[in-house]
Amino acid sequence: MSERDSDGDGDRSSDADVLVLRRGTHGVPVEQYAAAIRERLPGQTVQLARTPAEEREAIRGAEYVTGMTLEEDLLEAAENLEVFACAYAGTGHLPMDRLEERGVTVTNASGVHGPNIGEHVLGAILHFTRRFHVAERRQRRREWRHYQAHELQGSTVTIVGLGAIGRSVAERLEPFGVDTIGVRYTPEKGGPTDDVIGFEGDAFHDALARTDYLVLACPLTETTRGLVDREAFVTIDPEAVLVNVARGPVVDTDALVEALRGNQIRGASLDVTDPEPLPEDHPLWNFGNVQITPHNAGHTPRYYDRLADIVAENARRFGEAGSDADLENQVNFSS
């Protein structure tokens, strides 16, 4: 086998141990992802399909495939597919019903974003605690005038979602002397927060009533869609701050705009919005107490490295045990 074939880029055949699809993420070339997997699998072939034609050809015989997405027509061309290693934590964009029918095992990138999104949330909280947005406005005006700030210590932070990201947020808040409330579907499982509650009954609104910082780090489901609505904004303390790194529709956008206009909350840090991208004429752009980042909390220069750790380890396990392999981050189709 030639050197070009051994690294997989020139091999149009479908006998590679790992096939990497061509779509990248966060503006980072997908070649870096393929290279990170190769570095971790020196004894296996890793093929990167760089064109639609190469994808269609290579996936016909591929058993282990990784990528950001998998279109249905490409799935139908995959005659021998056994594992699809999704390069995102969420899998709602995949044809999950068809993958389940085909008996394809799906894994995700859960845990890859924990450190960077945890840091993003902490930065957003400190931004509003010390009111850096006020300082920025006065700096632009060359205005040396003191303003009142807040103190994080002694505050209550409610974290909705205790997956890898929610846990990462809780861990980073621990040194700040705050009280934490975690919200999850199965509160009996506990978590790294001082209190853990569920979504049922009045528990969530009771938590809102004593919350200073509300962090949304949950998946978008029927339960969480519109979770933070008009009733929530009436319940929450007017000095509270909302931080959303989950999905835009977890918050009722019209209710959020009303709450900001009515001084029902102190501010909001939004990495995700509904709609997304946020239209240029949307009123959320114009609030001085709203921090908007363009779905950027997930960016980290270590994304492909962390992802490759999971994907390469699973490829090793699959190579050893085949369909009986115990894979990390395996997605439960029934959940």
Side-chain angles (χ1 to χ4, degrees):
M1 182 180 290
S2 69
E3 182 179 354
R4 179 171 170 81
D5 284 347
S6 67
D7 70 13
D9 280 343
D11 185 3
R12 297 307 197 272
S13 68
S14 53
D15 58 355
D17 297 295
V18 178
L19 172 64
V20 182
L21 302 182
R22 63 194 171 93
R23 186 187 298 273
T25 190
H26 297 306
V28 182
V30 72
E31 283 84 357
Q32 293 186 21
Y33 178 37
I37 298 174
R38 288 190 190 108
E39 183 180 338
R40 289 156 176 79
L41 296 173
Q44 300 188 36
T45 56
V46 178
Q47 178 179 352
L48 172 60
R50 286 301 288 117
T51 69
E54 285 182 20
E55 285 184 337
R56 289 192 300 272
E57 176 64 22
I59 205 169
R60 283 191 298 110
E63 296 183 345
Y64 191 101
V65 177
T66 183
M68 308 297 156
T69 189
L70 181 64
E71 305 299 337
E72 288 205 45
D73 59 343
L74 199 57
L75 173 58
E76 294 310 309
E79 299 172 3
N80 298 319
L81 183 62
E82 294 200 36
V83 177
F84 180 70
C86 182
Y88 290 134
T91 56
H93 63 292
L94 298 178
M96 295 297 285
D97 290 344
R98 186 66 183 121
L99 284 162
E100 184 177 18
E101 290 173 6
R102 290 275 306 272
V104 176
T105 298
V106 177
T107 63
N108 65 17
S110 177
V112 170
H113 286 306
N116 48 292
I117 296 186
E119 292 174 4
H120 182 100
V121 169
L122 186 58
I125 289 175
L126 292 173
H127 176 93
F128 280 98
T129 299
R130 301 310 301 170
R131 300 186 72 200
F132 290 140
H133 54 297
V134 176
E136 289 165 2
R137 287 200 300 271
R138 295 188 181 183
Q139 180 178 347
R140 285 195 299 269
R141 299 173 189 152
R142 297 176 174 83
E143 180 181 359
W144 186 275
R145 183 161 60 92
H146 289 281
Y147 58 90
Q148 293 185 335
H150 300 268
E151 190 171 293
L152 182 55
Q153 181 172 286
S155 299
T156 297
V157 182
T158 296
I159 305 168
V160 182
L162 289 181
I165 293 170
R167 293 194 304 271
S168 180
V169 171
E171 290 167 3
R172 281 156 179 75
L173 285 170
E174 190 171 345
F176 287 87
V178 300
D179 294 322
T180 53
I181 304 170
V183 185
R184 66 185 307 175
Y185 288 105
T186 52
E188 61 273 10
K189 291 184 177 179
T193 51
D194 297 314
D195 294 315
V196 181
I197 63 171
F199 292 95
E200 304 300 325
D202 295 325
F204 180 63
H205 279 266
D206 288 343
L208 287 182
R210 53 193 174 107
T211 293
D212 298 297
Y213 297 90
L214 176 62
V215 177
L216 305 178
C218 53
L220 180 63
T221 66
E222 289 305 309
T223 298
T224 62
R225 184 180 295 274
L227 178 69
V228 184
D229 56 10
R230 286 179 173 83
E231 286 298 316
F233 285 119
V234 170
T235 303
I236 201 167
D237 190 285
E239 284 297 303
V241 171
L242 169 70
V243 181
N244 190 4
V245 292
R247 288 292 183 268
V250 175
V251 177
D252 181 327
T253 301
D254 291 340
L256 172 60
V257 171
E258 290 176 14
L260 290 162
R261 286 174 174 162
N263 296 316
Q264 290 178 276
I265 58 170
R266 174 152 53 98
S269 176
L270 309 174
D271 188 58
V272 289
T273 59
D274 182 26
E276 188 175 305
L278 197 64
E280 291 182 11
D281 59 351
H282 200 281
L284 282 173
W285 289 113
N286 300 319
F287 289 100
N289 59 342
V290 174
Q291 179 190 51
I292 297 175
T293 50
H295 209 138
N296 210 63
H299 181 266
T300 167
R302 299 188 61 188
Y303 184 87
Y304 283 150
D305 284 331
R306 292 188 187 127
L307 178 60
D309 286 340
I310 298 170
V311 172
E313 175 57 28
N314 280 343
R316 281 194 205 94
R317 296 180 187 182
F318 178 74
E320 293 172 357
S323 59
D324 294 327
D326 180 19
L327 303 184
E328 184 179 354
N329 284 4
Q330 187 166 329
V331 176
N332 184 353
F333 285 100
S334 63
S335 62

